[in-house]
Amino acid sequence: MTTSYDADVVVIGSGALGSNAAYELAKQGRSVILLEAGSRIPRWKILENFRTSSRKANFNDPYPNEPWAHTSYDPEYLENTGSFNFRPGMLKLVGGTTWHWAAACWRYLPNDMKLKTLYGVGRDWPIDYDTLEPYYQRAEEALGVAGNGDEDQSGQGGKAWPPRSQPYPLPPDATTYMNQQLVKRLAPEGFHYIHEPNGRVTRPYDGRPACCGNNNCMPVCPIGAMYSGDMHATHAENAGAKLITEATAYKLEKGAGNKIVAVHYRKPDGSDVRLTARYFVVAAHGLETPKLLLMSDVANSSDQVGRNLMDHTGIGLLMIGDEPLWPGRGAVQQGGIFNWRDGDFRKQHSAVKHSMSNAVPNRTITERLLKQGVIGPELDEGIRHDAARWIDVGTVFEMLPSPTNRVTPSDKKDALGIPMLRVNYDVDDYVKAGKEVAKKDYARFAKIFNAQIVEDESGWQNRDHIMGSVIMGSDPKDSVVNGDCRTHDHDNLFLATTGVIPASGVINPTLTGVALSIRIADTINKEI
């Protein structure tokens, strides 16, 4: 008997990962339905919301926060029970959170994927760098990554690394005066300042204009030079995929042979819809994906769904240097210091990455001076002086997976009666040891720039890099998906989320997530 399906593949979540998977499937002729809990909002509307808002520091504020699709800054959305207030800046709309990311597109190093073997801590990936390399290239082409392929991104000042089969799709942006001066003063002290590969195009590419340095990437690129996931949601539609918005998936239905046979979603009016498919891809980011699996009682024979949550939890340094550097011209990030990215030290403490923000600092500086009672012409002069010399260092640490760092469905319900999120999250001694290394670097930075310290005890900070919550591994007893991102328990259920990443390193995980998602599409295309 022939079985009739609503689609070959249902993809749940229209962020960068889900939309790239949907596009790769649709352009191969597969029938694809792409579900999105949030709405579709035009760029001009988000930009208008930002320009008219008095809450410029809240990067979620210009975006919709619906009773059935909350942003993560809604206090009702995410309940914390651990020692750390885990609250990454996640969005729910077509295109997802890449609407307001910094667009850093680093690759993992081969050693990052062999952490347990080389350094005796954490976990190894079940696949190696060579397996993922062709998909890194395709992901970079999809996102329009501009980068410098001649640098040693391990931070050791050696040959170009990691290995690449082809150059970056686009040349790097011109080095700003600020970054020229940072390199000039940091390099003699042994710090390797490396250009950041970035999903912000340096010439017209895939219908996008070249970046003109609005310095407004977070919360929204006004012209669409920076990549956002809605671009591939549109590509998927143009290739034949069907996009359904305001559709919150709340149940995956199991059938014969332990296959997933349907997804159930709820609309804002409370009505329910059941969709069937041959394959299902859950791409609902690293918090909502495990929540959906746990609510559905699927893929959890290992009891690892929702556990091992990681987020590059970091700290920050603010200081005023001794010469004008003029931050705020060009992209909000252009580089970082990677001296502590890889080495035997990882047996004792976490890897460390320092990034130098290039965002316009005037709002922060003005608020600080006003709190000091500075007003009138003195305030104007103070803003001009401090803004030119402002140095904002953001540091991230390599996390290790811990089963007690965990996301679960909350007892609280949204407007549709669907559970919201509960997170238990603590920072472990491996990261705390890395912090001691970072603080020694902070003291050296301050000395190099003869700086006045504004803040060097920021406390732990969110970094919005969700990993580990549906962890990848070769053993079904201690992991959720295998090296293909296929769940161990259901051979037609794949997870397209950075939540599969088992060893976090110190790099932003989105490019890797897109690479894995394209690979998922290739696997499904071979099997259908």
Side-chain angles (χ1 to χ4, degrees), residues 250-331:
Y250 67 91
K251 181 182 178 181
L252 295 167
E253 179 183 329
K254 289 180 283 190
N258 224 21
K259 288 183 176 293
I260 303 301
V261 296
V263 58
H264 298 248
Y265 72 84
R266 189 162 295 165
K267 299 190 291 186
D269 64 5
S271 60
D272 291 343
V273 178
R274 178 179 182 267
L275 292 176
T276 61
R278 290 180 170 83
Y279 283 79
F280 295 84
V281 178
V282 183
H285 78 57
L287 298 179
E288 290 286 353
T289 295
K291 188 184 86 173
L292 176 60
L293 301 183
L294 289 169
M295 289 194 304
S296 306
D297 189 26
V298 302
N300 196 29
S301 63
S302 63
D303 189 30
Q304 295 301 297
V305 172
R307 299 185 184 273
N308 308 302
L309 180 62
M310 300 179 279
D311 177 31
H312 290 151
T313 304
I315 59 174
L317 167 68
L318 296 175
M319 57 186 183
I320 299 172
D322 61 355
E323 67 167 323
L325 298 172
W326 306 111
R329 295 189 290 184

Side-chain angles (χ1 to χ4, degrees), residues 159-334:
K159 64 180 182 180
W161 196 254
R164 306 180 55 83
S165 57
Q166 299 180 54
Y168 279 105
L170 294 162
D173 49 338
T175 306
T176 65
Y177 177 77
M178 172 182 165
N179 281 273
Q180 293 176 39
Q181 292 304 104
L182 289 174
V183 171
K184 182 179 177 181
R185 298 188 66 170
L186 289 167
E189 301 295 329
F191 289 111
H192 300 299
Y193 192 86
I194 300 167
H195 180 270
E196 177 173 278
N198 207 289
R200 188 182 292 99
V201 296
T202 50
R203 58 174 170 75
Y205 184 88
D206 193 24
R208 296 151 59 187
C211 176
C212 57
N214 282 282
N215 199 253
N216 205 47
C217 316
M218 295 179 290
V220 58
C221 174
I223 62 174
M226 184 178 75
Y227 180 81
S228 49
D230 61 303
M231 297 171 182
H232 268 86
T234 300
H235 287 342
E237 284 185 293
N238 292 339
K242 180 181 180 181
L243 172 65
I244 303 176
T245 61
E246 300 184 347
T248 303
Y250 67 91
K251 181 182 178 181
L252 295 167
E253 179 183 329
K254 289 180 283 190
N258 224 21
K259 288 183 176 293
I260 303 301
V261 296
V263 58
H264 298 248
Y265 72 84
R266 189 162 295 165
K267 299 190 291 186
D269 64 5
S271 60
D272 291 343
V273 178
R274 178 179 182 267
L275 292 176
T276 61
R278 290 180 170 83
Y279 283 79
F280 295 84
V281 178
V282 183
H285 78 57
L287 298 179
E288 290 286 353
T289 295
K291 188 184 86 173
L292 176 60
L293 301 183
L294 289 169
M295 289 194 304
S296 306
D297 189 26
V298 302
N300 196 29
S301 63
S302 63
D303 189 30
Q304 295 301 297
V305 172
R307 299 185 184 273
N308 308 302
L309 180 62
M310 300 179 279
D311 177 31
H312 290 151
T313 304
I315 59 174
L317 167 68
L318 296 175
M319 57 186 183
I320 299 172
D322 61 355
E323 67 167 323
L325 298 172
W326 306 111
R329 295 189 290 184
V332 294
Q333 288 182 185
Q334 198 174 43

Side-chain angles (χ1 to χ4, degrees), residues 316-321 361 364-369 371-372 382 385-387 389-393 442 446 450-458:
L317 167 68
L318 296 175
M319 57 186 183
I320 299 172
T364 302
I365 290 168
T366 304
E367 290 176 351
R368 176 173 178 264
L369 291 173
K371 287 179 181 176
Q372 293 173 351
H385 178 277
D386 292 356
R389 295 161 177 79
W390 196 254
I391 301 175
D392 181 347
V393 183
Y442 283 3
N450 300 309
Q452 171 194 348
I453 300 295
V454 176
E455 173 64 78
D456 64 354
E457 287 292 345
S458 65

Side-chain angles (χ1 to χ4, degrees), residues 8 25 30 44 89 93 99 124 142 206 237 241 249 263 275 297 324 350 368 398 412 419 453 479 481-482 496 524:
D8 290 328
L25 289 159
R30 310 305 174 197
W44 69 263
L93 74 164
W99 271 99
D124 288 347
D206 193 24
E237 284 185 293
V263 58
L275 292 176
D297 189 26
S350 67
R368 176 173 178 264
E398 174 181 35
K412 292 182 179 178
I453 300 295
S479 58
V481 299
N482 65 15
I524 294 174

